[in-house]
Amino acid sequence: AIIGADGANSAVARQEVRGADRMPYVFAYHEIVRSPQSGQADFDGTRCDVYYQGRLSPDFYAWIFPHGETTSVGVCSANKGFSLRNAVGDLREATGLDASQTIRREGAPIPLRPLQRWDNGREVVLAGDAAGVVAPASGEGIYYAMAGGRFAADAVDALLETGDVRALATARKRFMKAHGRVFWILGIMQRFWYANDRRRERFVSICRDPDVQHLTWQAYMHKQLVRAKPLAHVRIFLKDLAHLVGLARVSQPSGKP
């Protein structure tokens, strides 16, 4: 049996799993630069910055993620006509990081949603980016790749023990049972709130809310929806509704990161 864990451009998936050649992607590009001292160029080595601005990404986000001596400056987009490299250059210039030494440049496709099928019904099952397990909206994939890898290994173990090829399908079934609802909600959130700058500004305003921050952090840490604190859910619902109908006031984007 084979576990195909060879990335978003998985040759195993394309050759063996029906529908894998139609995987939708966003494209990520980042530049690793030498980190300046904190305080220089408005840089804080203890803070991760995320930018929801159409000029930096028309449908996803841009980022500055410090990693000690180096920093990742990057952007994602599914718009094939959008220049990721120019957007990163604009972000570096706007934040003063254009003066930092560029160590390397990297780019890669990131799958947008899990494939409808992860196995070929015989001896192959997929895991990680090859299976499309990257969370919408955030682009997080490491945890989900590890979880999917465990489910794929369990499925192969069951196949080898029983000889029943149907065991391979349990990898996707178990993953979607554990994480499918979170992926569905994040997908809706991305399609709606990332659609234009006006909605992105409202999304950022929502994220300033302490209830949203607390529940989002809990969901992120435990990788499941948080059902505690019903009053917090009610408050969030009412605030979201106010933004949806335009009653909540938000500042207009300044055009500067």
Side-chain angles (χ1 to χ4, degrees), residues 14-208:
R14 291 196 305 271
Q15 293 173 19
E16 295 293 337
V17 178
R18 186 173 67 251
D21 57 338
R22 297 189 296 274
M23 171 88 79
Y25 300 101
V26 295
F27 296 89
Y29 170 77
H30 75 156
E31 296 178 0
I32 303 298
V33 304
R34 188 72 61 190
S35 298
Q37 295 294 319
S38 288
Q40 295 181 359
D42 194 30
F43 178 80
D44 185 344
T46 66
R47 184 187 69 210
C48 293
D49 294 333
V50 177
Y51 298 88
Y52 294 99
Q53 295 184 12
R55 71 185 189 88
L56 296 177
S57 173
D59 52 359
F60 215 71
Y61 62 79
W63 67 83
I64 297 177
F65 293 162
H67 301 287
E69 295 182 354
T70 62
T71 293
S72 166
V73 185
V75 64
C76 278
S77 177
N79 187 334
K80 294 183 179 180
F82 183 76
S83 175
L84 303 179
R85 179 168 290 196
N86 287 347
V88 169
D90 291 344
L91 179 56
R92 289 183 63 179
E93 182 178 2
T95 56
L97 291 174
D98 54 336
S100 296
Q101 176 191 0
T102 301
I103 298 173
R104 66 181 183 273
R105 298 177 173 89
E106 299 172 329
I110 298 176
L112 274 174
R113 66 179 68 95
L115 287 172
Q116 291 296 315
R117 185 182 179 95
W118 291 8
D119 68 280
N120 67 350
R122 298 187 304 277
E123 72 286 277
V124 173
V125 64
L126 305 176
D129 282 9
V133 292
V134 175
S138 69
E140 181 191 0
I142 295 176
Y143 172 84
Y144 296 111
M146 295 173 66
R150 170 61 62 87
F151 293 146
D154 289 344
V156 167
D157 184 58
L159 168 65
L160 296 178
E161 183 174 344
T162 66
D164 188 348
V165 295
R166 292 175 297 180
L168 294 177
T170 62
R172 187 183 190 279
K173 289 178 181 177
R174 291 177 64 195
F175 182 91
M176 296 307 291
K177 182 178 180 180
H179 305 294
R181 181 171 294 183
V182 171
F183 274 50
W184 179 70
I185 291 174
L186 289 176
I188 292 174
M189 186 181 80
Q190 178 181 334
R191 288 189 294 274
F192 183 81
W193 291 114
Y194 291 12
N196 54 56
D197 274 344
R198 182 177 180 182
R199 290 185 183 177
R200 279 187 280 264
E201 285 298 309
R202 292 190 177 277
F203 173 69
V204 171
S205 294
I206 291 171
C207 290
R208 293 192 183 104

Side-chain angles (χ1 to χ4, degrees), residues 218-238:
Q218 293 299 317
Y220 174 81
M221 291 298 295
H222 299 288
K223 297 298 183 281
Q224 60 185 7
L225 298 178
V226 178
R227 294 181 174 84
K229 297 189 175 182
L231 288 179
H233 286 283
V234 172
R235 289 194 296 268
I236 290 171
F237 171 78
L238 293 175

